[in-house]
Amino acid sequence: MNQSVEFKNIEKKNKIENAKIEEARRIASEIEKNLHVGIFAWYDFREKSDILLMDNRYPEDMEIYSDYLKEKGHTIERISVDQIEEITEKSYDYIIGIGTAELIKDRITVFKKLQSLLKTDGHLLLAVDNRFGLRYFCGDRDPFTDRNFDGIENYRRISIDDRKKMTGRCLSDHDIREALRESKLITKRMSVMPDIRYPQLFYAEDYLPTEELSMRYFPIYNCNKAVFLEEHWLYTDLIQNGMFHQMANGYFYDCVNDGYSEELTNAEHVTLAMDRGRENSGITIIKRNGTVCKKPVFSEGAYKTQALIDHNADLNARGIRTIEGKDENGSFVMPFVKAENGMQYFGRIIKQDKDLFVREMDKFMQIILDSAEHVAEPDEDILKDMLPQGMKSEDIRNTDGSTGTWLAKGYLDLVPLNAFHTDDGFLFFDQEFCSGVYPARAIMIRALHIAYACGDWMERIIPQDFFYERYGLAEKRQDWDWFQSSFTMKLRYQTEMSDFWKKNGMDGGLISVNRQKINYSNIDYQRIFVDIFRDTDKKKLFLFGSGNFTNKFVTMYRNDFEICGLLDNNSSVQGTEKYGYPVISPDELKKFSADDVKVIICIKNYIPVLKQLERMGIQDVSVYDTSMTYPHSRKIVVSNAQGQEPKKYKVGYIAGVFDLFHVGHLNLLRRAKAQCEYLIVGVVSDEAVRKNKRKVPVIPFEQRIEIIRGCRYVDEADEIPYGFADTDDAWRKYHFDAQFSGSDYADDPYWLKKQEWLREHGAELVFFPYTQETSSTKIKGLIEKSLIE
């Protein structure tokens, strides 16, 4: 292939890549708009209303609100807070202020003016950020000062000059109600979670959640980099201690003139699903009259109501109970059922009776198997279309070739979260998602995960592995996990929305780091958690722990440091060998001078070990975190020949199997070396090839890596063990400037995300043209064909 053809191929690939990126951005922008309008998309506006929309500090939001309300047939007038006094002769059905009250200095005066602009039966709708919201106690920054805790302290630490510069301030429920009372307005308050700009859940002030919120709730922050608590796990305790509404992140107020209280919203609880695109976005409203209303947000989802009715009838015909409902003006309306949610039921009985838990899980799995007729596995072409990108049919087959039971219809939400438990057994609701032919195993694994979602403590009573073995799911567990998770990923556009959640969502790694920073002084934090390789070349290095964290450390750094042994308090493993090192008692450290020893703790619960080593007098102790990026421990010195131009990158990296080494491999290595001074090649181990690619390499690892080491373009070759083949791991180990890969991955969303991750860390992912004429697979095919002939 000549250079002109190669250039055209690269150009074509780049166009495809850019088109996919632009489409993902378009989808993300559309969904973010949908998230915004959720603040009032559930509200029952009168038709063709006159609405006054007050501006807030986000002009882009105002355009979105206005467009949505116009689409629903309302007449919209927009106005800034400063212009309210200028309105004299008009009146409105609704006046809406989303994040507006925070900008008003004299709220009583302005609210009185707004009350005078309402028609007799008009409504003032306000959404306000609560300065006592749980998010701010978890570390989120104040939106007006960009600092922690200012709103909680009522801005008392803000200087007079800085207060003058503030464009607004977060408010409390008392701040709002006081102004509303003076304005002679009566109100109904709804607590909003997680944020008034991106609402997901509403609760009336006299209504409390009856479900585990950790599964329903996705935190959103002004600054997720400052958060140090996992907010979604705290709500159960707040509910039990009467603090839920006081610490809501925001409030929605429906206000009317005195004498019109019956006009206030009758919604008790609202659940929004606004991140599913126009077809699948929906709203569920529990009303004070004892009914539940489920309605589509956009016209594209109007067919969903009849689909729910049809799905219920189908399941009922198969002996599976559902909550019956009917179509009322395009909404699915059903009676409210006061019963224990299926997820909570499993969380309760596992503590009370393990045998009952197993029996009930068996019943649930049988319901899934009974939900449709059993059919044959679909043809290969159909199966290929069902699989997530990058998965092959052999990935979900057991060694005997089986893929388990296939259902004529797959009810994907036949899970504990969408079920109640009553005296008559499980009662299902919200069965709107029904596919064609579908594997029962995918639904069973999804149901199992949700049944265990009340907390990690359930795993300690009965491990999920027990059920994986019981239901024949163990052999291909990871692949079926991947298969079932693809449903949620597609439904919620997780790939397209990854940038949004990365910027605004919860980051578990950052939370862990921030907690550590709180617990230690700057000097101790740096010594224990950041500069963990300090003095490793001067002291005897021991790792504390012999589990997964230690395995990763050894895999990443065994060639960089001399490790003397592994410390473990568990006497049953002392005297054995793991990862090539002896496992010994921590008491063995007493044989050495404390000044000559360095210990790196490689376990999750490190605090007791820190205290133990401190009592032993060991001062040089650090903690290894698998998600952290550490200063590079290896120094690569590159010297260019005199007069030679430096290459584009200093350190380059390539990963591959390199089975049946051929000219395509050689081209890739030559092109990479042409762009970097020092080329590191990671060679995938035999175990990783067997488990990840579901095949056995023709050439064993020891020979494959020696072939690579013998190539003149390669400066260093290392093993990539099973479980550590990710780009993130490789960069954390080598701190390369560029990773090189074949262009056959150039339009793969997974690799494009890795490219983005590397760019954020100052590196690059470079795609080279794929050598079309040959590949290891083609060579194997030719060999097999020649053997047959």
Side-chain angles (χ1 to χ4, degrees):
M1 186 183 296
N2 60 44
Q3 288 187 341
S4 176
V5 174
E6 286 187 6
F7 177 78
K8 288 180 179 179
N9 285 340
I10 293 172
E11 189 177 49
K12 183 179 179 181
K13 288 281 188 181
N14 288 338
K15 286 182 179 179
I16 294 173
E17 175 185 332
N18 291 334
K20 288 190 174 185
I21 292 172
E22 286 304 313
E23 176 62 10
R25 287 173 177 166
R26 185 196 66 77
I27 292 172
S29 175
E30 183 69 28
I31 291 176
E32 190 167 349
K33 290 179 181 178
N34 295 347
L35 292 174
H36 283 311
V37 300
I39 192 64
F40 46 61
W42 59 275
Y43 191 84
D44 190 16
F45 289 97
R46 293 190 288 268
E47 291 185 1
K48 297 181 179 180
S49 294
D50 293 322
I51 298 177
L52 178 64
L53 186 60
M54 295 185 290
D55 286 353
N56 62 20
R57 66 184 186 278
Y58 301 107
E60 64 274 18
D61 292 10
M62 304 311 301
E63 293 293 336
I64 295 168
Y65 297 151
S66 180
D67 290 345
Y68 175 82
L69 292 168
K70 287 177 182 177
E71 182 182 333
K72 296 298 181 180
H74 304 298
T75 301
I76 307 301
E77 182 179 344
R78 281 180 55 184
I79 193 171
S80 70
V81 173
D82 296 335
Q83 296 172 315
I84 292 173
E85 288 295 333
E86 299 174 11
I87 303 176
T88 55
E89 298 180 356
K90 294 192 69 174
S91 60
Y92 302 90
D93 296 299
Y94 299 93
I95 300 176
I96 301 176
I98 311 300
T100 305
E102 294 94 319
L103 312 181
I104 301 172
K105 293 183 179 179
D106 187 355
R107 285 181 294 278
I108 293 176
T109 299
V110 173
F111 283 9
K112 285 182 176 179
K113 176 62 178 180
L114 295 176
Q115 186 272 337
S116 71
L117 296 175
L118 288 174
K119 293 180 181 179
T120 306
D121 58 351
H123 292 247
L124 170 64
L125 306 179
L126 299 173
V128 180
D129 200 19
N130 178 22
R131 63 186 176 90
F132 293 117
L134 182 58
R135 65 195 289 185
Y136 296 120
F137 287 91
C138 291
D140 196 14
R141 291 180 182 171
D142 186 281
F144 294 100
T145 66
D146 197 30
R147 304 192 327 184
N148 301 94
F149 311 125
D150 281 337
I152 294 172
E153 295 182 313
N154 205 14
Y155 303 96
R156 69 180 185 85
R157 293 178 181 269
I158 305 298
S159 68
I160 294 176
D161 288 340
D162 287 340
R163 286 193 186 195
K164 292 177 181 178
K165 299 174 185 176
M166 288 174 60
T167 57
R169 52 177 290 153
C170 293
L171 303 170
S172 68
D173 178 52
H174 172 77
D175 297 330
I176 295 295
R177 286 189 186 270
E178 185 178 46
L180 290 174
R181 278 194 298 269
E182 291 294 325
S183 307
K184 308 300 182 185
L185 289 168
I186 57 175
T187 183
K188 178 175 179 177
R189 189 193 72 189
M190 305 281 285
S191 293
V192 183
M193 300 165 60
D195 178 78
I196 61 172
R197 292 188 71 208
Y198 305 103
Q200 299 163 16
L201 301 167
F202 293 73
Y203 295 94
E205 56 190 307
D206 56 354
Y207 185 97
L208 287 173
T210 58
E211 58 191 352
E212 176 57 58
L213 291 182
S214 60
M215 279 292 292
R216 291 285 195 188
Y217 179 68
F218 304 95
I220 289 178
Y221 299 107
N222 300 313
C223 180
N224 61 1
K225 294 180 175 61
V227 177
F228 53 81
L229 283 175
E230 293 178 312
E231 177 188 344
H232 61 304
W233 286 110
L234 304 179
Y235 283 104
T236 296
D237 285 332
L238 293 182
I239 294 167
Q240 293 171 348
N241 288 278
M243 300 170 64
F244 175 75
H245 288 291
Q246 292 89 331
M247 301 190 73
N249 286 333
Y251 296 120
F252 180 93
Y253 298 89
D254 185 5
C255 313
V256 295
N257 285 307
D258 194 7
Y260 287 85
S261 59
E262 70 278 1
E263 296 287 331
L264 293 170
T265 176
N266 68 348
E268 294 283 83
H269 168 43
V270 180
T271 299
L272 302 173
M274 305 295 290
D275 57 351
R276 301 178 177 184
R278 292 183 67 89
E279 181 180 357
N280 290 313
S281 289
I283 299 170
T284 303
I285 306 172
I286 297 176
K287 297 187 176 182
R288 194 176 292 274
N289 63 4
T291 62
V292 180
C293 174
K294 188 175 179 66
K295 62 181 182 180
V297 180
F298 304 103
S299 58
E300 290 87 338
Y303 73 94
K304 292 279 187 178
T305 297
Q306 186 58 47
L308 267 172
I309 295 172
D310 294 342
H311 295 166
N312 281 352
D314 180 45
L315 289 168
N316 290 341
R318 301 193 65 83
I320 298 171
R321 298 191 310 138
T322 62
I323 302 177
E324 293 300 305
K326 58 184 179 179
D327 186 336
E328 291 187 5
N329 300 318
S331 296
F332 182 81
V333 179
M334 54 187 166
F336 175 73
V337 174
K338 191 172 183 180
E340 189 173 31
N341 179 268
M343 194 174 81
Q344 292 173 313
Y345 174 67
F346 279 116
R348 176 174 61 83
I349 65 173
I350 195 174
K351 293 185 290 187
Q352 298 174 349
D353 188 332
K354 291 192 289 186
D355 292 337
L356 175 62
F357 181 83
V358 174
R359 291 196 301 272
E360 291 297 283
M361 189 67 73
D362 286 346
K363 289 179 183 178
F364 204 98
M365 295 303 167
Q366 191 59 50
I367 289 172
I368 293 172
L369 293 171
D370 292 343
S371 63
E373 293 182 12
H374 295 189
V375 296
E377 178 187 311
D379 294 338
E380 185 67 24
D381 289 342
I382 298 174
L383 181 56
K384 183 179 178 181
D385 290 338
M386 295 176 64
L387 298 172
Q389 186 169 8
M391 179 177 275
K392 301 175 182 177
S393 62
E394 56 262 33
D395 294 340
I396 57 173
R397 296 189 189 281
N398 287 354
T399 49
D400 62 3
S402 66
T403 54
T405 301
W406 285 78
L407 303 171
K409 296 179 181 179
Y411 286 99
L412 308 181
D413 272 339
L414 211 61
V415 295
L417 190 63
N418 289 51
F420 294 114
H421 188 269
T422 69
D423 292 340
D424 296 320
F426 292 102
L427 178 64
F428 291 89
F429 58 90
D430 287 0
Q431 297 303 309
E432 61 184 292
F433 295 105
C434 180
S435 72
V437 176
Y438 203 77
R441 286 180 174 178
I443 305 174
M444 293 167 73
I445 286 180
R446 179 169 157 78
L448 186 60
H449 285 336
I450 292 174
Y452 270 77
C454 286
D456 294 342
W457 54 268
M458 296 178 69
E459 189 78 20
R460 295 192 290 271
I461 300 175
I462 302 179
Q464 286 189 63
D465 287 346
F466 170 82
F467 291 108
Y468 276 97
E469 293 289 345
R470 188 177 183 86
Y471 305 132
L473 306 171
E475 185 176 342
K476 295 290 185 175
R477 172 176 179 170
Q478 289 183 329
D479 297 296
W480 282 114
D481 277 347
W482 182 12
F483 188 104
Q484 68 86 19
S485 66
S486 65
F487 162 65
T488 305
M489 289 189 66
K490 291 177 182 177
L491 178 65
R492 299 187 61 233
Y493 292 93
Q494 288 180 345
T495 299
E496 292 82 355
M497 291 296 289
S498 60
D499 288 343
F500 172 85
W501 290 110
K502 184 176 182 179
K503 177 183 177 183
N504 301 290
M506 188 184 73
D507 187 321
L510 280 174
I511 287 175
S512 177
V513 169
N514 290 338
R515 285 287 289 272
Q516 291 167 353
K517 289 179 179 179
I518 291 172
N519 289 324
Y520 297 90
S521 67
N522 288 337
I523 294 174
D524 285 342
Y525 176 78
Q526 188 74 20
R527 173 178 60 83
I528 297 173
F529 299 104
V530 178
D531 194 10
I532 69 170
F533 299 128
R534 182 175 54 85
D535 292 339
T536 48
D537 57 336
K538 301 174 184 177
K539 298 183 178 183
K540 296 183 183 298
L541 174 61
F542 293 88
L543 307 182
F544 202 113
S546 56
N548 292 333
F549 278 34
T550 301
N551 182 21
K552 183 150 191 176
F553 184 96
V554 168
T555 301
M556 296 278 282
Y557 302 114
R558 71 185 314 155
N559 295 329
D560 300 337
F561 307 111
E562 182 178 345
I563 301 170
C564 297
L566 312 181
L567 308 174
D568 202 306
N569 287 324
N570 185 353
S571 59
S572 66
V573 298
Q574 294 169 3
T576 64
E577 186 176 283
K578 294 199 74 172
Y579 321 122
Y581 299 99
V583 183
I584 61 176
S585 167
D587 290 336
E588 294 291 316
L589 295 181
K590 296 176 181 177
K591 297 178 180 179
F592 308 100
S593 168
D595 294 335
D596 295 335
V597 171
K598 180 176 182 65
V599 178
I600 298 180
I601 301 173
C602 298
I603 61 176
K604 190 173 184 179
N605 186 19
Y606 58 83
I607 293 177
V609 177
L610 274 174
K611 294 180 178 178
Q612 176 185 350
L613 294 172
E614 183 180 347
R615 290 193 299 268
M616 293 175 64
I618 308 297
Q619 297 297 318
D620 196 350
V621 181
S622 296
V623 175
Y624 173 62
D625 185 338
T626 57
S627 65
M628 282 282 286
T629 299
Y630 297 103
H632 195 13
S633 59
R634 307 161 70 237
K635 301 298 181 184
I636 297 174
V637 179
V638 177
S639 57
N640 293 321
Q642 188 172 4
Q644 181 180 340
E645 285 290 325
K647 295 180 180 178
K648 187 173 183 179
Y649 305 106
K650 180 180 178 182
V651 179
Y653 176 74
I654 292 178
V657 178
F658 300 102
D659 197 17
L660 295 171
F661 192 87
H662 52 75
V663 69
H665 294 140
L666 187 65
N667 288 338
L668 183 63
L669 297 174
R670 181 174 62 245
R671 290 181 177 123
K673 182 60 178 176
Q675 293 204 29
C676 67
E677 308 287 354
Y678 191 91
L679 180 61
I680 302 170
V681 179
V683 182
V684 182
S685 68
D686 290 342
E687 180 189 18
V689 176
R690 286 194 299 270
K691 293 184 177 179
N692 291 332
K693 293 182 174 288
R694 309 289 185 242
K695 55 188 177 183
V696 178
V698 175
I699 309 299
F701 169 77
E702 291 75 12
Q703 296 180 31
R704 288 187 285 115
I705 197 168
E706 283 306 314
I707 292 171
I708 296 300
R709 284 172 176 158
C711 179
R712 64 183 177 133
Y713 303 118
V714 177
D715 296 291
E716 179 182 341
D718 283 343
E719 176 187 2
I720 304 176
Y722 174 63
F724 301 97
D726 196 70
T727 293
D728 307 23
D729 292 327
W731 185 84
R732 288 188 175 100
K733 180 174 182 178
Y734 300 114
H735 286 237
F736 51 76
D737 302 298
Q739 177 173 354
F740 304 103
S741 179
S743 59
D744 46 330
Y745 294 115
D747 58 351
D748 187 317
Y750 171 83
W751 282 98
L752 294 177
K753 283 297 175 187
K754 291 302 175 186
Q755 184 181 57
E756 182 181 341
W757 188 91
L758 286 174
R759 286 173 176 171
E760 290 173 356
H761 289 78
E764 183 58 85
L765 179 58
V766 179
F767 295 107
F768 288 138
Y770 177 68
T771 303
Q772 301 285 345
E773 292 81 5
T774 188
S775 69
S776 296
T777 302
K778 289 180 180 179
I779 294 173
K780 288 177 186 176
L782 291 173
I783 294 173
E784 291 170 357
K785 183 178 179 182
S786 65
L787 290 174
I788 293 172
E789 294 175 350

